[in-house]
Amino acid sequence: MKISIFGLGYVGCVSLGCLAQEGHKVIGVDTNAEKVATLNKGIAPIIEAQIGEVIAKQQQAGHIQATLDGQLAARETDVSFICVGTPSTHNGHLDYHAIFQVAKEIAKGIRDKNSFQTIVIRSTVLPGTNQKASALIEKHSNRKANRDFAVVSNPEFLREGTAVHDYYTPPYTLIGTDSPQAVEVMREVYRSIEAPFISTQVNVAEMMKFVSNSFHAFKITFANEVGNICKSLGIDSHKLMEIFCLDTKLNLSGYYLKPGFAYGGSCLPKDLKALITMAHDFYLTSPVLENIDRSNEHQKQHVFDQIIQMGKKKIGFLGLSFKAGTDDLRYSPIVDIMERLIGKGFKISIFDRNVQLAQLIGANKEYILNKIPLISHFITDDPSQLINESEIIIVTNKENEFAEILAQVPENKTIFDLVNLDFPNRGTRKNYIGLAW
């Protein structure tokens, strides 16, 4: 295919070289005349493992050229990649001046074309940028979005020092666009990349890079805080984390990475507190660890605020234990919310077959009778009664039985789902509210 790359910095240069190596004809575009001249000599304008050899070979083979004329490049190619920088502003936002400048230049270049143009935003941009760029191109080209052209969000996941390797071995190829035609074009562009090809909503693709990099930053700081504590205890932190990373069922997995309600139970709060205490014993500051519980409490407050904003006084809760499949009530996060609602005069009812008072024994019975005796008065063993008496039904864990119960909830009652539980007719309900979806 004929491809133009706007921006010959780190991402643009690597993309240009690798696309050319895959057999595409590639035109590089930049406002820096020195970069353009350097590339036309077969010399990479950046320092990065392997890319110098790739560009030299592909330029000699006639697969690469560079120009200052962006309109010409867009006019002579079928796909245009936007790879310009989006630096931070003084207030933490991103500067999109270069993105929109390139969009206007591409628009002018394709104004008189009859063929379909695919414009790919490879730069890191916030959700909504694709839509703004599309409107800008439509305005300056007098062509119709998703008919004559389409804007695709295609975030990159390249690490400096291993960028060429990362280009060819990504975890997946992620595409966000509203155009089926553009999806097929991108399949052709990346036909040689052996990785899952994922086509998703535009805003999901735009958001992915921020979430990925923030998580990477979190992992680094988490590991550093663990290392500091281990050093003070005389523990080999690298050996510990080496073993830690072998657990791909929980530690390095998607198991706990599903947005929803706060965590609870006896183990997580207790062990987190103990680890922080170890750090304090050695006068260590561990900001990440110390703020985990604070964030968890904030999530509970967030749920409480949403309930208050709904303006209904009769609330039914499906679930009392801290998670499905257990009767353990210790540190159940929903208990705090229930107690606060009762204190504000809300009428609540609770159904959880695992937490029927007649069946409870031992620690859990003692806990509910001594620690949260007020809650015990609102437990029912009749879900139909709960539905009838409630204006809002709140789902707090993923018991299979709850899906069957929710299917019976009348349309005029609101379902507030804290756990993303699937149930019949969920997608067609007008009064369904998901906590984070």
Side-chain angles (χ1 to χ4, degrees):
M1 299 184 73
K2 294 181 179 180
I3 299 173
S4 47
I5 303 285
F6 287 77
L8 297 177
Y10 186 79
V11 174
C13 191
V14 172
S15 298
L16 178 141
C18 292
L19 285 166
Q21 189 162 252
E22 292 305 303
H24 301 291
K25 299 288 186 180
V26 188
I27 301 176
V29 184
D30 205 284
T31 57
N32 186 314
E34 186 176 355
K35 284 186 178 181
V36 170
T38 298
L39 195 61
N40 280 329
K41 294 176 184 177
I43 301 172
I46 65 167
I47 301 298
E48 172 65 34
Q50 302 180 55
I51 198 62
E53 296 88 340
V54 169
I55 284 179
K57 183 177 180 179
Q58 296 307 315
Q59 195 275 336
Q60 188 175 15
H63 295 162
I64 290 175
Q65 66 181 95
T67 180
L68 295 168
D69 191 340
Q71 294 183 36
L72 173 68
R75 191 161 54 247
E76 293 187 353
T77 57
D78 305 307
V79 182
S80 297
F81 278 78
I82 300 177
C83 300
V84 295
T86 53
S88 293
T89 63
H90 69 280
N91 58 11
H93 292 101
L94 299 180
D95 184 350
Y96 294 132
H97 173 76
I99 293 277
F100 297 135
Q101 190 62 40
V102 169
K104 290 179 184 177
E105 196 167 7
I106 293 172
K108 294 174 183 177
I110 67 173
R111 183 180 294 159
D112 298 322
K113 287 182 68 173
N114 293 320
S115 59
F116 186 83
Q117 190 82 9
T118 302
I119 298 102
V120 185
I121 299 179
R122 191 79 161 149
S123 305
T124 301
V125 296
L126 289 172
T129 307
N130 182 303
Q131 185 177 13
K132 292 177 182 177
S134 184
L136 195 64
I137 294 168
E138 195 171 55
K139 175 182 177 181
H140 289 275
S141 69
N142 293 320
R143 304 187 77 202
K144 183 68 175 175
N146 297 328
R147 185 192 70 189
D148 305 314
F149 74 90
V151 179
V152 174
S153 293
N154 173 217
E156 50 82 19
F157 303 97
L158 307 177
R159 298 168 295 171
E160 293 189 37
T162 59
V164 174
H165 175 268
D166 291 347
Y167 179 92
Y168 288 110
T169 58
Y172 42 70
T173 296
L174 185 62
I175 300 298
T177 182
D178 296 324
S179 167
Q181 186 174 352
V183 171
E184 295 310 309
V185 170
M186 296 308 295
R187 286 187 188 278
E188 177 62 20
V189 168
Y190 291 122
R191 65 183 185 274
S192 300
I193 303 299
E194 295 184 2
F197 184 95
I198 301 172
S199 178
T200 187
Q201 296 98 324
V202 171
N203 55 7
V204 171
E206 290 176 309
M207 189 69 168
M208 188 60 68
K209 184 68 178 291
F210 298 99
V211 175
S212 296
N213 278 348
S214 296
F215 187 52
H216 299 330
F218 165 77
K219 287 185 289 185
I220 291 169
T221 52
F222 174 81
N224 287 343
E225 290 186 8
V226 169
N228 294 339
I229 298 170
C230 286
K231 176 72 172 180
S232 298
L233 291 168
I235 296 170
D236 184 341
S237 63
H238 277 254
K239 177 56 67 176
L240 182 143
M241 294 307 288
E242 179 184 320
I243 298 171
F244 173 90
C245 292
L246 293 176
D247 180 359
T248 56
K249 292 183 178 180
L250 295 179
N251 291 348
L252 298 185
S253 75
Y255 188 80
Y256 289 117
L257 290 173
K258 303 294 188 299
F261 192 37
Y263 64 76
S266 61
C267 296
L268 270 59
K270 173 178 67 70
D271 291 349
L272 172 62
K273 185 176 181 180
L275 184 59
I276 294 170
T277 301
M278 290 182 212
H280 289 173
D281 287 345
F282 291 100
Y283 302 97
L284 295 172
T285 300
S286 305
V288 168
L289 294 172
E290 291 166 4
N291 280 284
I292 293 174
D293 183 65
R294 179 185 173 192
S295 179
N296 199 56
E297 290 301 313
H298 174 79
Q299 189 70 346
K300 288 194 270 187
Q301 181 66 43
H302 179 59
V303 168
F304 179 79
D305 291 343
Q306 289 197 53
I307 296 171
I308 297 296
Q309 290 167 11
M310 290 178 192
K312 306 291 184 180
K313 284 290 187 176
K314 299 176 181 178
I315 315 292
F317 290 90
L318 294 179
L320 178 58
S321 61
F322 83 96
K323 69 176 182 178
T326 179
D327 62 355
D328 196 344
L329 302 172
R330 293 171 294 177
Y331 297 100
S332 177
I334 201 63
V335 169
D336 292 346
I337 291 174
M338 291 176 179
E339 290 181 326
R340 292 177 66 185
L341 290 173
I342 293 169
K344 286 186 172 291
F346 284 74
K347 181 180 178 181
I348 75 168
S349 56
I350 307 161
F351 175 78
D352 189 331
R353 199 173 298 281
N354 294 323
V355 190
Q356 298 300 323
L357 281 177
Q359 300 172 359
L360 287 177
I361 60 174
N364 283 322
K365 186 172 185 178
E366 180 181 351
Y367 183 85
I368 198 169
L369 293 177
N370 296 330
K371 300 293 184 181
I372 52 172
L374 189 61
I375 296 294
S376 64
H377 299 298
F378 301 97
I379 298 176
T380 177
D381 60 0
D382 185 356
S384 297
Q385 178 184 344
L386 179 145
I387 292 173
N388 291 334
E389 295 179 353
S390 302
E391 297 168 290
I392 302 171
I393 313 297
I394 300 179
V395 192
T396 72
N397 63 45
K398 284 191 171 183
E399 289 288 349
N400 292 333
E401 183 182 11
F402 293 167
E404 301 172 9
I405 295 171
L406 292 174
Q408 308 304 316
V409 175
E411 287 285 344
N412 65 326
K413 295 179 184 286
T414 298
I415 294 175
F416 186 23
D417 183 1
L418 308 185
V419 294
N420 199 15
L421 181 66
D422 189 25
F423 61 89
N425 303 321
R426 169 180 144 172
T428 59
R429 287 190 64 95
K430 294 181 180 179
N431 293 321
Y432 171 86
I433 301 172
L435 176 57
W437 48 90

